[in-house]
Structures are given as structure tokens and as C-alpha cells.
Amino acid sequence: TMGNWLVNHWFSAAVLAAWLGINIFLFTYYFLFFDQDDRYFYTRAILGSALAWARASAKCLNFNSMLILLPVCRNLLSFLRGTCSCCRRTLRKQLDHNLTFHKLVAYTLALLTAVHTIAHLFNLERYNQSQQATDGSLPAVLSKMHLQSNKWLNLIHSNETTVEYVAFTTIPGLTGVIITLALILMVTSSTEFIRRNYFEVFWYTHHLFLVYFAGLVIHGIAGLVRGQTEQSMAEVHPHRCAQYLTQRDQNCTHDCCKDPEFGSIPAESWKWVLAPIILYVFERILRVWRAQQKVVVKKVVMHPARVLELQMQKKGFHMEVGQYIFVNCPAISPLEWHPFTLTSAPEEDFFSIHIRVAGDWTERLIDTFQLETPRIEVDGPFGTASEDVFQYEVAMLVGAGIGVTPFASILKSIWYKFQQGDQTLKTKKIYFYWLCRDTGAFAWFNDLLASLEQKMAESGKADFLTYRLFLTGWDTSIANNVALHFDTPTDTVTGLRQKTIFGRPMWNTEFAAVAAAHPRSVVGVFLCGPGALAKSLQKSCHQHSSLDPRKVKFYFNKENF
């Protein structure tokens, strides 16, 4: 299975290996540099190895801060997707791992921040001890140098200075505290639970990234960690002269009499993050410009279970199957943009989305549309994996709950391609599985399935689409109703010809049946649903794929929002 994964995800594996390799290289190189370089001989006399831990983690923090914005430049990703439309499907598909990479970099930043902060707490403690020491040791002598000149080495110049004082009054201390708080808030507010249920909390706290980058750029500007200057090294090299610092006569005559001089390490975070910040500014300008273009709401449909359907038109809007848009309603909040999967087909003269209540913003939007039609702004469309669905001879589509939305688009598009006798359609067979907790959620999708059933039967293609509806949450009244109408030609829950199945699918059975029906096909498995379901589908894909290249293969695709 590892071999399979590498074949399908070689690009992701290469990116991960390069990222990990660069992190390890930066950390090791700078750790050894600050641990052994003679310019920091005196700095190490006070700080010990905590200096190297702080500096090495700082380099990796800069590197990862440079990367964190790139995966969320969605227009950049769309552009890359477009330019590599001639590339292999596997390469394009891996651009969908952008959010996974974004999270990985974020967790790495959190870990490195912890290392960097702990190292500096040790450093401050050592600076403090050296400043207070009166034993004539090297750290003590070095700490008193600020009395003779401004070429100080120890940033603490008074016995009364505490670690807290340094943390909240110096630029590095204060920005460090602010950056760390911003990072903690961003990481904790971006959990799956908060994103799904309190999107606004996630959205607004995530904009603390502005504070993070501002703090990062200013953080090293004061240059509190210092090393010996090149000129001073030439005059009084520590290997030759360090011993004389602790045992110096009043009337000193040899060439080590002169005190060593120290200078700051120049701030360099800005060099790392400048290019991505500029790129991200362009990204945001492009988003604002795209959002200004007029959107006409053609039709508003209120479906059962409080699902709102909006049919819209916008000049120059071209979509692909399974793409999504970001929607903003200035009347509710001028700043908030929310992602929605398109439920229309590219062949239709409008684009549509279905919105259910999931947090304050969606609730307010649905309420607003019941009273009037407010102005809507749209950014997109943006691409995800479902565009590839027509490339497979056989497709297994799995939608859980509202996750059925990209498949509304796919099923409609296939129906249009059929009607038009499209020769580019490689798909010969579709298996569609919809898992849903309550019957109300089926309602808006029913019309589509019913009309598809009818159209395919009329055109003699009734066996092209096999679908199964699984009701995962149901009560006794539904069960009794089903028992009463068991022999009716249509289903009591949905009114469709295919019966609703109560409970969850047995994936092994489903995959085995598909593999038996298509022994030599490449099968694309598409999921829009929770992570736990993704794991079991991925497992089934591996288990049921044949090792023989001429036989059945299952490829797994997951929607990413």
C-alpha cells in the first residue's frame, strides 16, 4: 500500500521530502554554526548551547513563515492548475493537498515557536545570572563590559531587571509574546469543530496573521543577541585572548589588552517573508477586483429542511464540474467570505449553490433572502478534484449529507453530455452513494435524481447510473411507514424508484461488486464527506485494487474545504 501511495502521490511525497530536508538542513547547519563559530565564543560563555537552539529554531521559523501563505493563495493555485492542465491527472490532483500542507506548516511553526521561546527563557535566565555574578568568572566579566563602552554583550545591564521586564519592555520580548499569542489563537480556532460550527470565529481569528507577520518582521530589529565583530576578531581573537579577560593587570602591555567589541546579528526575517507577502497582497487585490463584478440573482428557491438554493449569473463566469466559489453578502458582513460548492452544470446558463444553516452567517443569509434579495458578491470559481470524474471509465461517487453538492453538478453535467451525444465522455458507468442522517435533507436532491432516472430510462441508458441512498439516522415512524409500503414501485422516503437503505454501507461488499462487474477498469472513487469515511474508502481502494496492471484499479479523490 505504501508503494501504491507513492506512485499516486509522488509529487506530494517529493514536496514533503524537500520540505523536511530543508528544515533538517537549516536546523543542523545553524545549530552547529552558532555552537562552534568563534564569533559567538563569548556569547556562548554566557548562554551555553541555548544560543544554538534559539538561533537554529529561528531559521526554521523564518523558512516556514515564508511557506505558510503560499498554499492559501487560491488564485495562484487556480493559475497553476490551469497551466498544468496538460500535466498528468495525479499532479493536478495533488494541488488539492494545499490545506493539508498549510496545516502541516502551521503545526511546525507552533512546535518551533515552543523550542525558540524555551531556549530564550534559558538565555534570559543565564544573562540574569551572569549580570548578578561577582565571582570574576568570564560570564561575569563579559556582563560588566557595558560599564566601559557601548560594546556590550549582555542585554541585561542592571541587577533589578527580571525576565518578565525584558519580555514586556524590549522589542524582541514584546513582539515575541504577541506573535506567540496570535499563533496560539489561530491554531486553536481552526479546529474542524470550530470551522464547521462557528466559521466566523475561525475567519476573524485567522486574520491575526497580519499581526503575526508584522511582529515577525520587527522581532529581530533590536539585535539583542550579539557576537564579536570581524575587526575585533582580527585584533583580539578569543582563542588567544579570552584567558586574559579574567586575569588582567592594571598596566597591561601585550596585544590582548584591548577589550573585545560586539555587534548585533542583523534582522533578516523580512528577507524570508517579503516575496510571499507581496504575492499574497496581489492575491487579495485580485480577490477584491473579482468581487466587484456584478452578480445577478436569477432565482431563489427555498427547499425543505431550510436549504436555500441561489441561481446566479455573472459576466465572464466559466465553471467546471465540482468547483466552488466564495460568497460574500455585504448586508450581513462586508468582510466575511464563505466557500460553497457549485451545484449547477457547466452546460447551464446560470450557476447555483445550495446553502444550509451552519453557523450565524448562513442563518442570517437565509433569513435575509426570505425577506428580500440582497446584493451578493462572488469570487471564483476555484478548482478541486471532481473535474477529473469524466476521465475514469467507472466512477464511484460518495456524498455524505450536504457533501452531495459537487455530485449534483457532476450528475447534471453527465445528463447534458448524454443528451448532446458528447464524444469526450469516457465514463461508461456511475455508482452513486448518498449517506444522509435525516429525510429532509434528501428533498432538494430528489427532483434532480427523479428527472435523471426518467431521462436515462427514456434514452435507453437506465443502467448507466446505479445509485444507493443510505439513511443513517431514522426513527420508528419512518420504519413503520416503510414496512407498510414495502411493495410499492417507488420509495416511501424519497419517491424514487431505488429503495432507500437503512443503515450504513458495507464498503467491502460494494467495492467487491464493482470490481467483479468491471474486472479491467480504472475506477475513480470520489468522496465529499468526513475524514473517518475517507479513511475507510481509502482502505477499500487499496484492498480491492489488483496488483496486475491490466486488472481493476481504484483511485481515491477527496474534496477539500
Side-chain angles (χ1 to χ4, degrees):
T1 55
M2 189 63 191
N4 260 0
W5 189 89
L6 283 172
V7 169
N8 295 343
H9 300 84
W10 62 269
F11 180 73
S12 297
V15 168
L16 271 181
W19 170 79
L20 198 60
I22 293 170
N23 271 306
I24 292 169
F25 167 76
L26 284 173
F27 197 92
T28 312
Y29 179 85
Y30 283 103
F31 189 92
L32 293 172
F33 175 78
F34 282 98
D35 205 42
Q36 291 171 7
D37 192 275
D38 290 336
R39 274 169 287 182
Y40 300 100
F41 179 89
Y42 290 121
T43 321
R44 282 195 301 278
I46 298 179
L47 300 178
S49 65
L51 168 73
W53 281 100
R55 298 307 302 171
S57 55
K59 294 288 174 189
C60 292
L61 276 166
N62 283 335
F63 171 62
N64 286 286
S65 298
M66 173 180 89
L67 297 179
I68 191 88
L69 287 176
L70 300 178
V72 289
C73 289
R74 51 181 189 248
N75 285 297
L76 172 74
L77 288 175
S78 274
F79 173 72
L80 286 176
R81 229 175 201 295
T83 52
C84 78
S85 55
C86 49
C87 317
R88 286 186 53 201
R89 180 170 65 225
T90 46
L91 182 61
R92 284 208 315 283
K93 202 169 73 181
Q94 284 161 73
L95 288 173
D96 293 338
H97 297 321
N98 60 324
L99 293 181
T100 312
F101 185 63
H102 177 72
K103 288 175 198 168
L104 178 66
V105 173
Y107 291 135
T108 308
L109 283 174
L111 176 70
L112 290 166
T113 301
V115 172
H116 187 70
T117 308
I118 291 165
H120 271 321
L121 287 173
F122 274 101
N123 287 336
L124 285 176
E125 198 45 54
R126 298 244 171 92
Y127 275 138
N128 219 353
Q129 285 168 357
S130 305
Q131 164 62 28
Q132 290 178 9
T134 51
D135 56 1
S137 63
L138 185 57
V141 171
L142 289 166
S143 298
K144 301 289 179 290
M145 280 195 170
H146 64 91
L147 299 172
Q148 288 101 330
S149 71
N150 63 347
K151 301 293 185 198
W152 53 271
L153 179 60
N154 188 335
L155 63 95
I156 294 178
H157 297 170
S158 130
N159 286 356
E160 281 70 60
T161 310
T162 62
V163 169
E164 291 78 17
Y165 179 82
V166 175
F168 291 101
T169 59
T170 62
I171 291 177
L174 197 56
T175 53
V177 169
I178 291 168
I179 289 173
T180 307
L181 284 175
L183 194 64
I184 290 169
L185 283 169
M186 283 190 284
V187 171
T188 50
S189 70
S190 57
T191 58
E192 181 89 8
F193 177 78
I194 290 178
R195 276 206 330 276
R196 292 274 175 249
N197 299 293
Y198 307 98
F199 189 88
E200 296 80 6
V201 175
F202 158 72
W203 176 261
Y204 286 114
T205 20
H206 241 62
H207 280 77
L208 286 169
F209 82 91
L210 296 166
V211 174
Y212 175 86
F213 279 103
L216 186 71
V217 168
I218 303 167
H219 185 61
I221 240 161
L224 293 189
V225 177
R226 294 160 76 94
Q228 196 173 355
T229 62
E230 292 292 342
Q231 190 189 345
S232 173
M233 293 277 288
E235 292 172 353
V236 283
H237 197 282
H239 286 189
R240 204 174 70 247
C241 300
Q243 61 199 36
Y244 295 106
L245 273 178
T246 49
Q247 48 195 39
R248 182 177 292 168
D249 312 325
Q250 287 301 314
N251 48 357
C252 174
T253 53
H254 56 77
D255 64 350
C256 283
C257 295
K258 197 174 175 191
D259 276 340
E261 296 188 356
F262 303 101
S264 297
I265 301 169
E268 52 165 46
S269 292
W270 66 272
K271 294 178 193 167
W272 290 83
V273 298
L274 186 65
I277 287 174
I278 291 170
L279 203 64
Y280 190 76
V281 166
F282 274 118
E283 164 81 20
R284 291 302 281 240
I285 291 168
L286 190 56
R287 286 186 200 177
V288 169
W289 175 74
R290 286 170 67 139
Q292 296 312 311
Q293 295 157 330
K294 191 169 188 279
V295 176
V296 181
V297 179
K298 299 288 286 181
K299 194 175 177 188
V300 180
V301 187
M302 196 68 214
H303 293 283
R306 271 173 77 72
V307 175
L308 174 75
E309 180 185 354
L310 297 181
Q311 295 183 8
M312 297 166 279
Q313 282 178 330
K314 180 180 174 179
K315 198 176 170 192
F317 187 95
H318 301 292
M319 66 163 285
E320 296 289 328
V321 148
Q323 287 189 307
Y324 62 96
I325 56 174
F326 278 81
V327 176
N328 168 273
C329 179
I332 295 172
S333 162
L335 297 176
E336 277 181 54
W337 289 83
H338 292 254
F340 293 97
T341 307
L342 291 160
T343 51
S344 48
E347 291 83 356
E348 289 170 313
D349 64 347
F350 61 85
F351 60 96
S352 67
I353 53 173
H354 285 71
I355 302 165
R356 64 165 182 149
V357 175
D360 305 342
W361 188 88
T362 42
E363 179 124 35
R364 292 209 298 275
L365 186 76
I366 291 170
D367 290 342
T368 308
F369 266 99
Q370 284 175 322
L371 302 169
E372 52 162 345
T373 303
R375 186 166 77 86
I376 289 286
E377 292 178 356
V378 166
D379 184 21
F382 300 103
T384 53
S386 302
E387 293 171 21
D388 299 334
V389 73
F390 305 121
Q391 307 299 314
Y392 293 95
E393 292 168 39
V394 181
M396 290 172 77
L397 314 180
V398 185
I402 198 77
V404 78
T405 39
F407 305 126
S409 175
I410 290 163
L411 292 173
K412 274 192 207 174
S413 189
I414 286 170
W415 165 36
Y416 283 118
K417 284 186 185 345
F418 260 150
Q419 284 186 315
Q420 295 156 8
D422 193 327
Q423 298 304 307
T424 60
L425 187 67
K426 288 185 190 168
T427 319
K428 308 275 186 290
K429 176 75 185 178
I430 284 193
Y431 294 90
F432 177 62
Y433 306 86
W434 190 10
L435 289 62
C436 203
R437 196 167 288 135
D438 66 277
T439 48
F442 283 113
W444 68 270
F445 203 65
N446 275 0
D447 305 341
L448 172 66
L449 280 177
S451 64
L452 269 176
E453 249 183 349
Q454 197 180 342
K455 290 277 187 287
M456 287 179 179
E458 282 168 10
S459 60
K461 299 266 188 185
D463 58 346
F464 174 80
L465 172 71
T466 300
Y467 62 86
R468 297 174 180 280
L469 309 179
F470 293 88
L471 203 58
T472 54
W474 47 292
D475 54 31
T476 44
S477 64
I478 300 176
N480 293 338
N481 194 9
V482 170
L484 281 174
H485 299 88
F486 188 73
D487 48 1
T488 53
T490 57
D491 188 79
T492 53
V493 178
T494 61
L496 292 162
R497 291 187 194 130
Q498 296 259 5
K499 298 281 187 186
T500 299
I501 301 158
F502 294 91
R504 297 184 182 281
M506 305 289 287
W507 290 117
N508 268 337
T509 319
E510 302 293 343
F511 273 81
V514 172
H518 309 279
R520 295 187 178 282
S521 292
V522 176
V523 182
V525 180
F526 292 84
L527 165 71
C528 189
L533 186 54
K535 281 200 183 78
S536 57
L537 286 175
Q538 217 158 0
K539 198 170 147 199
S540 297
C541 281
H542 290 320
Q543 281 174 350
H544 294 276
S545 287
S546 169
L547 292 172
D548 184 336
R550 292 161 302 180
K551 292 192 177 161
V552 69
K553 283 267 181 299
F554 289 91
Y555 286 104
F556 179 71
N557 303 259
K558 184 182 185 301
E559 285 299 320
N560 255 358
F561 311 126

